[in-house]
Amino acid sequence: MNGFILKKPILSLSVLSFLGFLIIVLLTACAPSPKMLQIEAEAKIVEEANDVASEFLSAFVAEDYQKAAALYAPESLTEFRQLMTALDMLKPEIRDDIYAQFFGSEVSADSVAKLSDAKYFGSFIKAVMGRAKEMSGMNIDSIQVLGGVPSG
């Protein structure tokens, strides 16, 4: 016969049971706790938010306000537009002048009403930034995201 047969077990059943229990305890202790998983998830959210903020600010610096607007949360764009509904209550000649300043001279109340929330916001920001640049000579060459702080 080319093998060998153990006449006595190397480890007793109680030692094997203890080692099995010890392995389970060690594996459980090494598993991430719910708090660790939560911290990791929050860190990932902050990292993703920083990426979106960097993309937004890059679009902003490039004066691509439509791209910047597309990075906003849709509910925020809707809320902004609802805040601006006060313009609709102005006398038509005043409202149309304001619309022309923000959305171009070829607009009407109907054409502005048909704009998506993102297009509305992007056009508004483009006009505001254009005016700021004209009036103050303000020019944004670069913006850098330094980090983020999780909410809560």
Side-chain angles (χ1 to χ4, degrees):
M1 210 168 177
N2 290 345
F4 64 93
I5 299 175
L6 292 176
K7 301 213 181 204
K8 282 176 126 181
I10 295 175
L11 298 173
S12 69
L13 186 57
S14 61
V15 172
L16 285 175
S17 296
F18 175 74
L19 287 175
F21 172 76
L22 187 60
I23 289 170
I24 290 171
V25 168
L26 288 174
L27 289 176
T28 303
C30 293
S33 69
K35 183 67 174 173
M36 288 172 62
L37 292 173
Q38 179 186 1
I39 290 169
E40 183 179 325
E42 288 173 358
K44 186 174 182 177
I45 290 169
V46 168
E47 183 180 334
E48 289 170 0
N50 286 346
D51 291 346
V52 172
S54 292
E55 189 175 353
F56 169 82
L57 293 171
S58 293
F60 203 85
V61 168
E63 297 180 7
D64 187 351
Y65 302 112
Q66 294 304 322
K67 181 179 180 181
L71 293 167
Y72 263 80
E75 57 273 8
S76 295
L77 295 171
T78 300
E79 184 178 346
F80 174 79
R81 187 156 191 175
Q82 289 169 346
L83 291 171
M84 299 299 288
T85 58
L87 294 175
D88 297 334
M89 295 182 262
L90 296 172
K91 291 181 182 178
E93 60 275 5
I94 296 171
R95 180 199 60 221
D96 293 345
D97 183 49
I98 292 171
Y99 280 168
Q101 290 179 36
F102 289 128
F103 304 107
S105 59
E106 301 297 317
V107 300
S108 65
D110 288 338
S111 64
V112 171
K114 291 177 184 175
L115 292 174
S116 69
D117 291 345
K119 185 79 172 165
Y120 185 97
F121 182 79
S123 297
F124 179 85
I125 294 301
K126 180 179 179 180
V128 168
M129 293 306 293
R131 295 266 187 243
K133 197 172 190 177
E134 286 173 14
M135 295 173 69
S136 69
M138 177 185 78
N139 192 25
I140 300 173
D141 294 325
S142 69
I143 299 175
Q144 182 180 5
V145 177
L146 299 177
V149 178
S151 62

